[in-house]
Amino acid sequence: MSAEHNHALPSTQNEKVLWAAFALTTTFLIAEAMAGVLLNSLALLSDAAHMFTDSAALGIALAAVRIAKNPADQYRTYGYHRFEILAATFNALLLFGVAIYILHEAWQRFQSPVAVQSVGMMAVASLGLVINLISIRLLSAGKDSSLNLKGAYLEVWSDLVGSIGVIVGGIVIYFTGWAWVDTLVAVGIGLWVLPRTWILLKESLNLLLEGVPLGIDIEEVEKEILSQKGVVSLHDLHLWAITSGKNSLTAHILMDGTVESTTLINAIQSSLSDKFAITHTTLQCETKLCDQAEKCVFIDGSNTLQQHSHNH
């Protein structure tokens, strides 16, 4: 059960910060990639590769925000909000690919070390660090309420860590001459990214599979419904999210007749909205169990989501 809720930023605000971060990241990406080639630094090239995924992720996130603005129609009654989840999923897969590529390249470098220009490496990474800090500042406001923005935010965070790693690696190489440190930093960046990418992918897939939104306990939701005056039991309870912050619920409610159905529905909807941020609720009130009550359950062997009784 969640007592506090973070509501998504308006799409226009999301779009503004995404545009700003996209412009900064893309500009620096080009400069860093050129520097990585000229300075022969795998760490810089790996950071540039992350910058490329940042730029792609931000571009995809922007496209998703634009598409999500399209109104619902007769073919897509929920609208196009799920494009934001598809974008987050794609960004997670993109991050996986880049991390694996960097680890592969690092293995090649360990076998055949090359000289690295540490001073230029540190200068470019320092500039990248500044760009990342600005982008993180822009994206931080909406990261907890939009999985789409969270994907872009994680991309930039991975770059920030990468920039710090490159700077530290450059300092070590400058004073010791250990060129292999450049490759070690690249490996560290790749390993740092993988677990965070997995978390993002899990959250995205949970939404695509119409799982219960993170932060909401379905048993607490059920208890809240059963606590309402006039409710005897409930069945066919389903809870999912179309996209971040757009939670939906359907349920069949068996009522005792002491409360008028419209009043009961309004009370349940208000309670679910206030306590769980469930704002799209469809309830079917029944004075006796419907003929499909036994067939409405999708979870085998569960007593939790099957019919429950409540005595007032």
Side-chain angles (χ1 to χ4, degrees), residues 180-239:
W180 55 266
V181 171
D182 175 72
T183 305
L184 187 64
V185 168
V187 171
I189 295 171
L191 293 178
W192 188 90
V193 168
L194 285 174
R196 287 151 186 81
T197 303
W198 172 243
I199 292 172
L200 174 63
L201 184 60
K202 271 204 312 184
E203 291 183 27
S204 302
L205 291 178
N206 182 58
L207 285 181
L208 290 176
L209 292 172
E210 298 190 341
V212 175
L214 294 179
I216 299 181
D217 186 334
I218 195 167
E219 292 187 8
E220 292 296 328
V221 171
E222 186 178 14
K223 288 177 183 177
E224 182 63 29
I225 296 175
L226 290 170
S227 71
Q228 299 297 317
K229 182 180 178 181
V231 175
V232 176
S233 66
L234 67 98
H235 58 277
D236 197 24
L237 173 62
H238 301 282
L239 176 58

Side-chain angles (χ1 to χ4, degrees), residues 41-306:
S41 168
L42 179 60
L44 273 183
L45 287 174
S46 70
D47 201 39
H50 277 141
M51 277 288 187
F52 173 75
T53 62
D54 283 356
S55 185
L58 291 165
I60 293 166
L62 274 167
V65 168
R66 282 292 182 95
I67 293 171
K69 287 181 179 181
N70 293 333
D73 54 40
Q74 60 182 334
Y75 300 108
R76 295 171 183 82
T77 55
Y78 278 119
Y80 294 79
H81 295 290
R82 184 137 298 193
F83 265 94
E84 294 194 70
I85 306 305
L86 292 174
T89 304
F90 181 83
N91 286 340
L93 293 174
L94 191 62
L95 264 174
F96 265 121
V98 169
I100 292 170
Y101 170 77
I102 289 170
L103 292 175
H104 172 74
E105 286 298 309
W107 174 252
Q108 299 297 322
R109 282 286 183 101
F110 272 128
Q111 293 180 319
S112 303
V114 296
V116 178
Q117 297 184 37
S118 58
V119 175
M121 175 179 160
M122 287 186 288
V124 175
S126 297
L127 180 57
L129 180 62
V130 174
I131 298 296
N132 288 325
L133 287 170
I134 295 172
S135 296
I136 283 175
R137 176 66 177 172
L138 290 170
L139 296 170
S140 61
K143 68 177 177 62
D144 293 325
S145 55
S146 168
L147 206 57
N148 189 32
L149 250 67
K150 184 175 182 177
Y153 179 83
L154 275 178
E155 293 269 7
V156 177
W157 244 111
S158 69
D159 266 338
L160 182 140
V161 172
S163 295
I164 294 174
V166 173
I167 293 170
V168 172
I171 293 172
V172 173
I173 293 170
Y174 180 79
F175 287 104
T176 66
W178 297 341
W180 55 266
V181 171
D182 175 72
T183 305
L184 187 64
V185 168
V187 171
I189 295 171
L191 293 178
W192 188 90
V193 168
L194 285 174
R196 287 151 186 81
T197 303
W198 172 243
I199 292 172
L200 174 63
L201 184 60
K202 271 204 312 184
E203 291 183 27
S204 302
L205 291 178
N206 182 58
L207 285 181
L208 290 176
L209 292 172
E210 298 190 341
V212 175
L214 294 179
I216 299 181
D217 186 334
I218 195 167
E219 292 187 8
E220 292 296 328
V221 171
E222 186 178 14
K223 288 177 183 177
E224 182 63 29
I225 296 175
L226 290 170
S227 71
Q228 299 297 317
K229 182 180 178 181
V231 175
V232 176
S233 66
L234 67 98
H235 58 277
D236 197 24
L237 173 62
H238 301 282
L239 176 58
W240 74 100
I242 301 303
T243 188
S244 304
K246 293 187 180 295
N247 302 321
S248 299
L249 178 145
T250 62
H252 289 207
I253 308 295
L254 181 63
M255 50 189 290
D256 61 14
T258 60
V259 179
E260 200 270 329
S261 60
T262 302
T263 302
L264 179 58
I265 289 173
N266 288 338
I268 294 174
Q269 288 179 332
S270 177
S271 177
L272 294 180
S273 177
D274 292 341
K275 295 187 176 183
F276 303 97
I278 300 172
T279 54
H280 186 274
T281 307
T282 304
L283 303 172
Q284 176 173 311
C285 289
E286 304 165 353
T287 54
K288 65 176 183 177
L289 286 177
C290 67
D291 294 337
Q292 297 182 343
E294 296 300 324
K295 301 177 182 178
C296 287
V297 181
F298 282 81
I299 303 178
D300 295 333
S302 170
N303 292 321
T304 302
L305 297 183
Q306 294 182 18

